[in-house]
Amino acid sequence: MPLPTTESMKTELANLNAEKERLLAEYKAARTEAQEYDTVKQNVDALLTVPKEQEQQRQHELE
């Protein structure tokens, strides 16, 4: 099996670097989106969580 030429290895390396950069940009965008979703989830959880004091007061008012 013949060894690859220098030019073919340089082309392969350039292609791999371009693919790496594309995937890295995609990863960064996905990571940013995931962080935004996490923030939204935390906000929703905070809004939906009723503190125990308020729940106890509500129960007392219903009695």
Side-chain angles (χ1 to χ4, degrees), residues 4-62:
T5 64
T6 302
E7 283 304 312
S8 69
M9 289 191 310
K10 285 181 181 179
T11 301
E12 177 76 13
L13 184 57
N15 290 339
L16 291 172
N17 280 328
E19 178 73 359
K20 176 185 169 185
E21 290 302 315
R22 184 188 70 76
L23 291 172
L24 188 56
E26 189 177 317
Y27 167 74
K28 287 180 180 180
R31 185 178 62 191
T32 299
E33 186 176 357
Q35 288 171 338
E36 290 171 359
Y37 284 132
D38 189 48
T39 300
V40 169
K41 181 186 179 304
Q42 289 175 8
N43 291 339
V44 169
D45 287 346
L47 291 172
L48 293 179
T49 301
V50 178
K52 289 189 183 283
E53 294 174 3
Q54 288 180 354
E55 184 63 30
Q56 288 174 352
Q57 182 180 6
R58 186 171 166 252
Q59 286 296 334
H60 183 66
E61 290 172 357
L62 291 175

